Amino acid sequence: MYLQAANGMETKRDHIFISYATEQAALCDWLARRLAAEGYAVWCDRQKLLGGENWPNDIDEAINGRTFRMLALLSRASMNKPNPQGEWLKGFAVGRKIGVDDFVIPLNTEGLRPDEITWNLQPINYISFAPSWAEGLTGLLKKLSSLDAPRALVDGRRIAVKSIVMESAVEEEPELLLSNCFEFEQIPRLIRKYTLASGKLSTSEQRVLWRDWPCRTVAPDRVLAFHQPPSTVTSHHRFSCVDEISWQNTELVDGIDAQDVVVNLINRCLERLLREKGLRFSNQSRQWYLPHGVLYKDRVSLALPDGKKRWFKGVGQRIYPTARGKGVYRYHLSPSFSVLRDAGNPLAVLLRNRVYLTDESGTPLDRRSLLSRRKHLCRMWFNKQWCARTLGIAQLLAGEDMYIRF
């Protein structure tokens, strides 16, 4: 197909234009590369390399003069965003101008019902990409073949691969590394053994004891700890220190592997730190989470390496579409720690960030609801978003110099 340009020269329509909402970025990338591998010149703002050479930078000019067909990725997000809608209207106008009824080819990517699709696309037969991208691609390739769509790329497969793997993956320049590990600089040298002066601790008393004193119970009347019990413990129980063991010079402490005792005590100290910072523990899901109201407007402040200040919501809520309408769920950032070892010895603490999800009343979601809501919440949280949240939680838990002290 050719178009008479304003200068009298003919411009060939040989590109496929992909119009999408950012929520469909993963499908857009995949589709662009698959079409390029089949020889079709593709343009979308994420993969301009796949469009070949001399592609106009202006979208209007591109659609007017070089687009053979426009693929409209229909999703719930694109139904409510101005950019995709504007590109589709432009595509309809160009199609009418050049006398091509199917200039815009809709791809139903989320199984939208007819009443969920914008009115000007409802009468058009769409190609379904839900639930299978592979089946959708097969239908699209069949459609393009029936239109005798031009295959402008002679080396489409190489171009598709090149868009994923750069010619040189290593650049000779310094790079900033942000780590979610806290390296140990100092661990108490001694493990102290305490015995209860009289009586034995019940199970409930042991749980209360752990909240106030980071220790390990080895018997109902005997515990191991790095340091002496706080006043909140000594006001109820009288403990006596009966031994001090250098854990680096022994294999067993009270019959338990010395390194295991150290890791256990470190974990108890970190749990105490989380509690002191206002976090709560869910017995049902077995995870710590940031509760509503601990921080001002539930915002976690963040200082980026370049000195800029940012913040993000540590607690919030989202609306999730269901068969019965719209449901609301709440999310809380949920940090956790793991002690990394080197030849059995504690080396560093790894900080992970998860999410704790509940309904509006604060009840943890069941497993089936949990997976779908977590995917809904985190679908656009990529490395940059997770890095910011992990760095923000690290700064919340550590001091201004980014040291955790206990």
Side-chain angles (χ1 to χ4, degrees):
M1 179 184 292
Y2 290 84
L3 176 73
Q4 187 72 27
N7 58 10
M9 299 180 62
E10 289 185 335
T11 303
K12 187 175 183 181
R13 292 185 176 275
D14 55 1
H15 281 68
I16 294 173
F17 186 98
I18 302 181
S19 175
Y20 69 102
T22 52
E23 287 78 1
Q24 296 297 99
L27 173 56
C28 178
D29 286 350
W30 179 84
L31 181 60
R33 292 188 176 105
R34 292 304 298 264
L35 290 174
E38 296 293 329
Y40 296 106
V42 181
W43 190 93
C44 65
D45 56 4
R46 294 176 58 83
Q47 299 287 346
K48 293 184 181 179
L49 175 65
L50 302 181
E53 297 178 355
N54 302 321
W55 178 255
N57 291 324
D58 183 81
I59 289 182
D60 280 350
E61 182 186 347
I63 298 174
N64 273 326
R66 294 293 300 276
T67 298
F68 175 79
R69 288 295 186 276
M70 175 185 290
L71 304 181
L73 272 57
L74 308 186
S75 65
R76 291 177 178 85
S78 64
M79 292 295 109
N80 299 298
K81 290 198 171 183
N83 284 356
Q85 297 275 346
E87 291 169 356
W88 302 344
L89 290 175
K90 181 71 178 178
F92 288 134
V94 171
R96 287 193 298 270
K97 181 180 177 182
I98 63 177
V100 176
D101 295 333
D102 57 356
F103 187 83
V104 178
I105 302 176
L107 309 181
N108 192 341
T109 67
E110 293 184 345
L112 300 181
R113 302 186 307 270
D115 61 297
E116 295 179 291
I117 300 176
T118 184
W119 64 271
N120 50 2
L121 285 169
Q122 285 182 1
I124 304 177
N125 291 329
Y126 57 75
I127 298 173
S128 176
F129 271 69
S132 170
W133 290 5
E135 292 178 11
L137 177 65
T138 301
L140 176 59
L141 292 177
K142 185 176 179 181
K143 171 70 174 178
L144 294 175
S145 176
S146 71
L147 297 174
D148 198 21
R151 302 194 183 198
L153 301 182
V154 216
D155 53 352
R157 293 187 181 276
R158 183 189 64 80
I159 292 177
V161 171
K162 186 180 177 182
S163 71
I164 304 174
V165 183
M166 298 180 63
E167 292 179 357
S168 176
V170 180
E171 295 183 3
E172 296 294 334
E173 59 181 44
E175 183 180 20
L176 177 67
L177 174 65
L178 298 180
S179 172
N180 60 333
C181 289
F182 287 85
E183 187 177 3
F184 286 115
E185 291 212 353
Q186 182 179 353
I187 299 176
R189 184 175 56 88
L190 301 176
I191 295 176
R192 295 179 170 89
K193 184 189 299 185
Y194 290 87
T195 59
L196 195 60
S198 61
K200 295 182 179 180
L201 295 171
S202 65
T203 304
S204 59
E205 286 176 326
Q206 290 180 34
R207 294 195 185 101
V208 173
L209 182 70
W210 297 336
R211 287 202 300 266
D212 295 333
W213 185 21
C215 61
R216 172 164 181 166
T217 307
V218 291
D221 61 346
R222 190 165 66 254
V223 300
L224 303 174
F226 282 140
H227 61 283
Q228 62 185 7
S231 58
T232 52
V233 171
T234 56
S235 61
H236 295 86
H237 306 285
R238 194 174 61 164
F239 283 94
S240 300
C241 182
V242 295
D243 198 4
E244 292 182 342
I245 305 104
S246 173
W247 60 270
Q248 293 175 321
N249 299 321
T250 185
E251 291 185 3
L252 300 176
V253 176
D254 210 57
I256 307 170
D257 183 271
Q259 279 81 11
D260 288 346
V261 174
V262 171
V263 169
N264 184 257
L265 293 179
I266 290 173
N267 283 325
R268 290 285 165 82
C269 290
L270 292 170
E271 290 170 3
R272 178 69 182 273
L273 170 70
L274 292 171
R275 187 176 291 109
E276 288 179 349
K277 294 293 183 177
L279 278 78
R280 294 178 187 168
F281 185 73
S282 168
N283 289 314
Q284 183 171 337
S285 62
R286 309 300 298 172
Q287 62 186 113
W288 291 90
Y289 65 94
L290 186 65
H292 169 66
V294 168
L295 302 176
Y296 174 71
K297 292 187 177 180
D298 293 324
R299 294 177 178 178
V300 179
S301 300
L302 168 66
L304 295 172
D306 59 6
K308 293 180 181 178
K309 304 290 184 180
R310 295 286 187 271
W311 62 266
F312 56 85
K313 279 280 193 180
V315 182
Q317 65 179 35
R318 291 287 189 273
I319 297 176
Y320 184 80
T322 65
R324 298 179 181 177
K326 294 181 178 179
V328 176
Y329 66 90
R330 292 178 179 171
Y331 71 89
H332 308 252
L333 285 187
S334 171
S336 65
F337 290 105
S338 299
V339 177
L340 306 180
R341 301 189 188 191
D342 181 19
N345 292 315
L347 177 68
V349 168
L350 175 67
L351 171 63
R352 289 189 178 93
N353 228 341
R354 298 185 293 165
V355 287
Y356 174 67
L357 302 178
T358 70
D359 58 19
E360 288 185 272
S361 65
T363 305
L365 299 180
D366 59 68
R367 183 169 179 80
R368 181 177 178 182
S369 302
L370 180 67
L371 295 175
S372 59
R373 270 59 167 184
R374 186 188 185 283
K375 182 178 179 181
H376 177 259
L377 173 68
C378 304
R379 59 185 175 181
M380 296 305 292
W381 289 8
F382 301 107
N383 285 350
K384 183 178 179 181
Q385 287 76 19
W386 281 111
C387 179
R389 282 162 174 79
T390 303
L391 187 58
I393 288 293
Q395 293 175 4
L396 174 67
L397 299 177
E400 292 183 0
D401 55 2
M402 287 305 293
Y403 278 86
I404 289 179
R405 295 176 177 84
F406 190 87

